[in-house]
Amino acid sequence: MSSPAVGARAADGVFDGLREDIVAGRLTVGERLPSEAALAERYGVSRPSVREAIRSLQALGLTRTRTGSGTYVVSDRPALSLGYGDFSPRDLSEARPHIEVPAAGLAAERRTEEQRAELVALCDRMDATIDPEEWVDLDSRFHVLVAVASGNAVFARAVGDIRDALSHQSGVVNLIAHRREPSSREHRAIAEAIGIGSAIEAREAMRAHLGAVERVVSPLSEPASRD
């Protein structure tokens, strides 16, 4: 049986191949995708990996599955939205370093043993899962827990209030840039720094993580406009 990381990479390969075929016009709008079995054979992967790739295509608005009929191409351009509700991508990018970096430092100084163990457990589950939706949920829970562990009610409330926006953006970024594995390593570094009580290392690890996210989000985002 393949490891979770291998399974995730297999789904990414199918997703990339099908997305490129759709965008390039080799699979046209209205055309039905080959069956799961045919795609699994073509890409040399398991059928669950094919299903994950198809879910990702649907999340981008490229395909739609019709019960009993199959999966069809419905658009040749991804319907991307990195904002959520009232929060634009710029809003999140500007605010997060001022909230989550100091929160990580305080968490290193104030976290309880229970919180330390829970952060590690979340990292373990992020490493183990091959379900992209579960990974995104664990990601947002990790960031909320860091803020709570800071012992600062303002930081905890702020991150809690933007949790849905963070989850949405994380899901889109992972589809486009395959950020799950590097992001899991970055979360592990944050948890380890908090675990050993190093505020400096915790702040740097969180700053590095947010910087990596920003480098992906920035070129994908339209400049935010304010009337």
Side-chain angles (χ1 to χ4, degrees):
M1 181 176 178
S2 63
S3 69
V6 171
R9 286 195 295 271
D12 290 342
V14 179
F15 168 75
D16 285 340
L18 291 174
R19 183 180 62 164
E20 289 171 7
D21 285 346
I22 292 170
V23 172
R26 291 186 289 271
L27 285 169
T28 60
V29 173
E31 186 173 352
R32 187 173 69 177
L33 297 187
S35 67
E36 283 185 6
L39 289 171
E41 182 176 357
R42 175 190 299 179
Y43 288 96
V45 301
S46 66
R47 291 179 68 167
S49 292
V50 171
R51 284 194 287 272
E52 181 181 340
I54 290 174
R55 284 197 300 268
S56 297
L57 292 170
Q58 291 179 171
L60 286 184
L62 294 174
T63 64
R64 182 175 302 146
T65 298
R66 302 173 189 167
T67 303
S69 178
T71 299
Y72 293 81
V73 179
V74 295
S75 176
D76 60 2
R77 289 292 180 270
L80 286 175
S81 175
L82 288 166
Y84 185 89
D86 294 331
F87 303 119
S88 71
R90 187 181 70 181
D91 292 334
L92 296 173
S93 295
E94 289 176 349
R96 292 185 70 187
H98 298 287
I99 298 169
E100 296 194 69
V101 170
L106 289 174
E109 297 172 343
R110 300 173 177 173
R111 56 85 180 159
T112 65
E113 178 58 25
E114 181 180 358
Q115 289 166 336
R116 182 206 65 77
E118 188 174 352
L119 286 171
V120 172
L122 287 171
C123 289
D124 290 342
R125 291 178 62 188
M126 291 170 80
D127 287 341
T129 187
I130 61 171
D131 183 334
E133 293 182 3
E134 181 184 11
W135 191 96
V136 166
D137 178 64
L138 294 168
D139 177 22
S140 67
R141 287 170 59 186
F142 181 93
H143 284 273
V144 169
L145 180 56
V146 170
V148 170
S150 76
N152 183 296
V154 174
F155 287 157
R157 173 69 65 85
V159 176
D161 284 349
I162 63 172
R163 177 176 177 174
D164 287 345
L166 297 181
S167 294
H168 173 75
Q169 188 175 93
S170 176
V172 174
V173 166
N174 287 338
L175 288 178
I176 296 298
H178 306 323
R179 278 274 305 154
R180 249 185 297 168
E181 289 184 46
S183 188
S184 290
R185 291 193 295 270
E186 292 156 15
H187 285 82
R188 179 77 65 179
I190 295 166
E192 289 177 350
I194 290 173
I196 64 174
S198 174
I200 293 175
E201 291 182 35
R203 287 193 295 267
E204 286 305 310
M206 181 65 80
R207 186 176 290 111
H209 170 57
L210 297 180
V213 172
E214 172 62 15
R215 285 191 291 275
V216 174
V217 169
S218 183
L220 294 175
S221 304
E222 293 293 332
S225 61
R226 301 286 190 188
D227 294 331

